[in-house]
Amino acid sequence: MAKSSSAANSETTAVATVSSSGGALARVPDVDVSVFPALSPDSDLAEAIAANTGGGGFDLRALVRVKTPAGGGKTWVYQDAGNNEVEEKAIEGVLVYVGKRGTLWGSEDMSKGRPPVLVSYDLKTAEQVNEDIGDLDRDALESCRVGDRLYDWNRLPWTKDGSGKGGHGRRCKESRLLGILQAGQAFPVLVSAGPGSLKTVCPFLTRLEVPHWRVRVSLTLERAVSQGGIDYSQIVPRVTGKLSREAGLAFKRLYTEPLMAVERQMELDSE
């Protein structure tokens, strides 16, 4: 709901940032601290961030993970930080984190608990994390080696169209991990955008007119059909607002940079 200018001015007094001098809180205008109270130095949520992380930064494994539903569902269903089930049509907030993921598994029928053969965090270089390569062609794999346990991701034959199961899609699975800081929350939720959503999410990210940490977004779902005739849910992102450069820098320092520093902690999907 829109607020009057006088009301907004009274509430956009400060945000918390991590300074280069050791994590002191600074005051920056242009953020409504009634919507993002974690960015107010005096808020309970700001205190919770400091206390619950123990000064050691974010633990990605402890953050709420939201997976894209199967079967063409149009409703997000997940458990929030208080272990309460949430159902909502849109996930909205500031896009404080964008991570890239790539995995190559030793079998087309991935089993839960079994690690992939290769993992990439930039979709350029992949690291071997499992010695058991399953049914992968060893010669083809070795032809892409660029170092000790390192491989050129884009040279892998399994990153090509038609290399997936039944000749559909790609055997190498690429995804994006989107960190959304919702209104009233101290910690972002992490939304997994799998292969079926890359055609909507990747162009959206590329076309953003400002860095992602300055953008408020809404993520909804629509039904789509794969080449194999299977219904699936596809993420539809849109911009709902933008932050100033100064306010965005506060989000970047408090959330984006710490999350990027620990992004390799995230468990990998086998889906």
Side-chain angles (χ1 to χ4, degrees), residues 248-266:
L249 184 60
F251 280 95
K252 180 184 178 185
R253 288 176 173 172
L254 191 61
Y255 290 101
T256 307
E257 291 175 349
L259 287 169
M260 290 178 64
V262 295
E263 63 182 357
R264 288 174 177 260
Q265 291 180 353
M266 175 52 61

Side-chain angles (χ1 to χ4, degrees), residues 132-213:
D132 181 3
I133 68 169
D135 60 18
L136 296 173
D137 185 303
R138 186 174 296 276
D139 290 337
L141 181 63
E142 288 303 306
S143 70
C144 302
R145 181 189 290 273
V146 294
D148 183 22
R149 304 180 68 83
L150 298 177
Y151 297 83
D152 185 327
W153 179 258
N154 292 299
R155 282 172 50 198
L156 294 168
W158 305 284
T159 61
K160 313 306 178 187
D161 290 335
S163 62
K165 190 173 184 178
H168 298 294
R170 304 175 182 182
R171 180 156 173 175
C172 284
K173 302 302 181 185
E174 297 183 1
S175 63
R176 297 296 184 274
L177 195 61
L178 309 177
I180 309 296
L181 182 65
Q182 298 169 297
Q185 299 299 312
F187 299 97
V189 297
L190 298 175
V191 180
S192 298
S197 291
L198 294 186
K199 64 180 65 176
T200 56
V201 170
C202 290
F204 171 80
L205 294 172
T206 300
R207 293 194 296 260
L208 289 176
E209 298 177 352
V210 295
H212 65 79
W213 53 80

Side-chain angles (χ1 to χ4, degrees), residues 35-259:
V35 177
F36 297 106
L39 300 184
S40 171
D42 303 322
S43 74
D44 289 342
L45 291 182
E47 183 181 10
I49 290 177
N52 295 345
T53 62
F58 289 102
D59 182 350
L60 282 179
R61 294 166 296 188
L63 298 182
V64 172
R65 185 77 177 268
V66 183
K67 294 185 178 181
T68 304
K74 297 183 178 181
T75 301
W76 296 102
V77 180
Y78 61 96
Q79 287 192 322
D80 64 15
N83 291 323
N84 303 300
E85 185 170 283
V86 176
E87 294 187 15
E88 53 191 6
K89 293 296 185 181
I91 295 177
E92 300 180 333
V94 177
L95 184 56
V96 295
Y97 174 73
V98 176
K100 297 179 179 180
R101 298 290 186 275
T103 53
L104 174 62
W105 303 78
S107 171
E108 290 182 338
D109 298 315
M110 297 165 288
S111 58
K112 199 167 185 179
R114 180 182 181 185
V117 177
L118 300 181
V119 176
S120 177
Y121 293 91
D122 60 5
L123 303 182
K124 296 178 181 178
T125 303
E127 178 182 352
Q128 186 172 1
V129 295
N130 186 358
E131 297 294 341
D132 181 3
I133 68 169
D135 60 18
L136 296 173
D137 185 303
R138 186 174 296 276
D139 290 337
L141 181 63
E142 288 303 306
S143 70
C144 302
R145 181 189 290 273
V146 294
D148 183 22
R149 304 180 68 83
L150 298 177
Y151 297 83
D152 185 327
W153 179 258
N154 292 299
R155 282 172 50 198
L156 294 168
W158 305 284
T159 61
K160 313 306 178 187
D161 290 335
S163 62
K165 190 173 184 178
H168 298 294
R170 304 175 182 182
R171 180 156 173 175
C172 284
K173 302 302 181 185
E174 297 183 1
S175 63
R176 297 296 184 274
L177 195 61
L178 309 177
I180 309 296
L181 182 65
Q182 298 169 297
Q185 299 299 312
F187 299 97
V189 297
L190 298 175
V191 180
S192 298
S197 291
L198 294 186
K199 64 180 65 176
T200 56
V201 170
C202 290
F204 171 80
L205 294 172
T206 300
R207 293 194 296 260
L208 289 176
E209 298 177 352
V210 295
H212 65 79
W213 53 80
R214 290 178 54 193
V215 177
R216 297 187 188 189
V217 300
S218 173
L219 304 181
T220 55
L221 296 163
E222 68 177 16
R223 176 180 167 274
V225 182
S226 71
Q227 292 180 347
I230 299 174
D231 291 347
Y232 67 94
S233 302
Q234 187 175 74
I235 297 175
V236 180
R238 65 184 181 91
V239 174
T240 60
K242 299 176 185 176
L243 300 172
S244 70
R245 180 177 286 107
E246 191 174 24
L249 184 60
F251 280 95
K252 180 184 178 185
R253 288 176 173 172
L254 191 61
Y255 290 101
T256 307
E257 291 175 349
L259 287 169

Side-chain angles (χ1 to χ4, degrees), residues 9 11-15 26-33 243-248 250-251:
N9 288 339
E11 293 174 344
T12 58
T13 55
V15 298
R27 293 185 177 273
V28 181
D30 194 42
V31 171
D32 188 341
V33 296
L243 300 172
S244 70
R245 180 177 286 107
E246 191 174 24
F251 280 95

